Amino acid sequence: MEQDKKFYTLLVFSENFAGVLNQVTAVFTRRQVNIESLNVSASSIKGVHKYTITCWSTEEQISTITKQIEKKIDVLQANYFTDDEIFIQEVGLYKLTTEIAINNPMISKEIRKHGGQIVEMNPTYTIVTKRGMTEDIMSLYHALNDYGCVLQYVRSGRIAVTKSCIEYLDRYLAERKEAYDNMKKQQAKESSACDL
Amino acid sequence: MEKQRITGAEALMRSLENEGVTTLFGYPGGAIMPVFDALYDHKDTLNHVLVRHEQGAAHAAQGYARVSGKVGVCLVTSGPGATNTITGIADAMMDSTPIVVICGQVGANMLGSDAFQECDLVGVTQPISKWAYQIRRPEDIAWAVSRAFYIARSGRPGPVVLDFAKNAQVGMVDYEPENVDFVRSYVPVPKTDPESVVEAARMINEAKRPLVLVGQGVELGEAQEELLQFLELADMPAGCTLLGLSALPSDHRLNMGMLGMHGSLASNRKTQECDLLIAVGMRFDDRITGNLSTYAKQARKIHFEIDPSEVNKNVPVDLAVLGNCKDTLAAVTALMKKQQHTEWIDSFEVHHEEERRIVIEPEIHPQDGPIKMGEVVRKVTEMTGNEAILVTDVGQNQMLSARYFKFTKKRSIVTSGGMGTMGFGIPAAIGATFGAPDRLVCLFMGDGGIQMTIQEFGTIMEQGAPVKMILLNNNYLGNVRQWQEMFFHRRYSFTPMLNPDYNMIASAYNIPNETVVAREELEAAIDRMIHTEGPYLLQVAVIEEGEVMPMCSPGNDVDDMLLQIKKD
């Protein structure tokens, strides 16, 4: 079982109602699947929130979890992906002791080598950011940590967009709109038939 | 329509009337008092049934919904009133029963302050309800109530919780009725893939040994007629789940009996011999399948299902036909050939015969010894012309009445299937008498379950609810005792019960009653029960160590059924 597990990214879209996040995470808890990372933010569509969730799971299990999430009334759509189907990005933030960072030129070399950026520097601390995949961000952390200059370090949850040329959420919303329009047309027809 | 400025509580009344509600089960309390005050002026249109405990209100709403197909409504106060309904909400979720539970809540300005009788009900009920919503403004009432009823009744039905803050009850609103019939993020009935219909018909036409599993989805989808045509055209034998028992007449020649742990020998054994397994509106519960790793491995499988998340959840299938089975069964039937599976159907008989000889006859026609539970059930069903509604509590009384009660009419079984809630019986039966006032409601229960909601005798008394209660008293928590006998070396840990005098209790509530001990008195007593107007409690002293057989032990292969417990 363990060896069948793969790393999956779920993209979930919901209406902006209170409590949806609880309902989404509860599905994982019930199926005893650990969430590795979770990012929630507004999507490109007004009033629609996007959840990016990663976890280790089997295909059967993630398929069931996805369907059980999508079943929640206020969830618009849920889909799961493997890493080759999506563009992925994470961000790392590193807070360093300026004194050590200045006195050891190897530190700024490591930052440049890893593609990190210094975004703030004052006499006490220096802030570095790096975006990329988990391993790259971790790798810069380990490099900096070896110099004993890291005061704080944090890595964001993953965010992702699909590689597919089809925008499934747009398609879903268009279908729902069409279903609604058809229903209303049908109702209008029925009520005018009643009037006769 | 002209808007009217009214209180939120009054807006709730009008919203309920707008949804066609006529009956509510409830219990007042502090945080719902403005609503009960408004209800006082709507007594002519909204019949409120005062229960004796909020759990009773939830189960009564379930019983009402199950027999009528309408949404059951439950109205209670905040805090403990609300939490007392939770068992009923979870039960309705498991068994796909449409109910709307409206609970009072403290005012919005006090939310989160641990105010008196405050409880985060939405947080508590989200995992066990189809939808839970907190109404914090009177402006949201019309929309939220209409949305709640739409969600509860549409698609795969389920419980909806409305947590109604007190400020929204007393606040004023320009009321205008709303009729929600669309929710963008919710697809109640998934689209049916036309190819799946063609493929299903092809698989059925090719099958030599098809077996159909009939679930409650057939009742919920009102597809009883479509199911009959589907079965009869291709001459396919069928087994029913506990909740699907009345979807197909018990004596139909293609009905091979109940499925699962205490189901019929034939339907379970044949599950392991069929070449095509066709599940209709059922969810492959573990009580149906037994050991999943050996379950119907030889068969191809089709799943007719309205809830996509049920497909491949427990049993992987070769083909899913999504949609309402009323439509999909008819569509597939239209493409099916007329067939005859005489030899296959005849092959069930040897198993029926074995079960009749070893299990059924000794249970329903015992020659001597104490009265058996099965014989009481069979007598009651025969004497009511197999036309009554069966309500059960949970345990041996439930399994034996499911096995030996017979059904000729749809929507005739009300039982707690998925949750197995003891204490479900009495309040659910009360609800059933309101949901189907022209039908006879027979409730079977044990001496354990009766005491879990016995306070609802008060509701029966007050309402004159004509529940025919049959108490199968064996002085044990019988089902657990049976398991202790089978799996725990007869160590009867806390299953013997010292019982009170139930006749005195019934008499105290003015419910006509009697107790039968001797077999020869049974028939006359049942006759008196049926012909006494209004409620009745018939206590039958049954064999203490009675058993439900056959039995597929939990986790065993579905065809590995025990017919008798070996007594040493």
Side-chain angles (χ1 to χ4, degrees), chain B residues 506-545:
Chain B
S507 294
Y509 282 99
N510 209 19
I511 297 171
N513 61 86
E514 69 181 296
T515 294
V516 169
V517 180
R519 174 162 293 116
E520 50 278 13
E521 295 164 6
L522 183 60
E523 216 166 282
I526 295 171
D527 192 62
R528 277 190 293 278
M529 175 185 77
I530 295 169
H531 292 103
T532 302
E533 209 174 309
Y536 202 90
L537 175 71
L538 172 61
Q539 173 173 231
V540 186
V542 294
I543 181 169
E544 293 210 325
E545 299 193 23

Side-chain angles (χ1 to χ4, degrees), chain B residues 101 138 190 193 195 205 235 284 314 329 409 435 463 469 482 499 512 515 546 559:
Chain B
V101 177
D193 178 0
E195 278 178 33
N205 287 339
D235 199 28
F284 292 106
N314 294 340
L329 282 176
K409 294 185 166 173
Q463 301 291 333
M469 298 182 278
Q482 179 177 336
N499 275 304
T515 294
D559 57 342

Side-chain angles (χ1 to χ4, degrees), chain B residues 372-413:
Chain B
K372 292 199 162 179
M373 292 180 271
E375 82 178 291
V376 183
V377 174
R378 187 50 66 88
K379 278 244 151 58
V380 171
T381 190
E382 280 169 357
M383 293 175 69
T384 53
N386 302 326
E387 288 188 342
I389 288 172
L390 169 68
V391 184
T392 81
D393 208 83
V394 165
Q396 289 184 320
N397 65 85
Q398 176 187 34
M399 287 297 112
L400 285 163
S401 50
R403 281 181 57 79
Y404 297 117
F405 210 82
K406 288 192 175 186
F407 303 96
T408 52
K409 294 185 166 173
K410 63 184 184 178
R411 287 190 178 273
S412 292
I413 179 163

Side-chain angles (χ1 to χ4, degrees), chain A residues 10 12 19-35 53 55 57 61-73 75 78, chain B residues 93 126-129 309 313:
Chain A
L10 261 88
V12 180
V20 180
L21 175 61
N22 265 344
Q23 296 183 65
V24 170
T25 56
V27 175
F28 285 87
T29 314
R30 271 188 85 187
R31 307 295 304 204
Q32 300 171 66
V33 172
N34 278 340
I35 290 175
I53 306 165
C55 66
S57 173
Q61 196 171 38
I62 198 69
S63 160
T64 303
I65 286 175
T66 306
K67 284 191 281 186
Q68 288 178 333
I69 290 174
E70 196 166 71
K71 183 173 159 177
K72 302 292 173 194
I73 298 292
V75 169
Chain B
M93 188 68 176
Q126 256 177 353
I128 52 164
S129 63
S309 79
K313 186 184 76 176

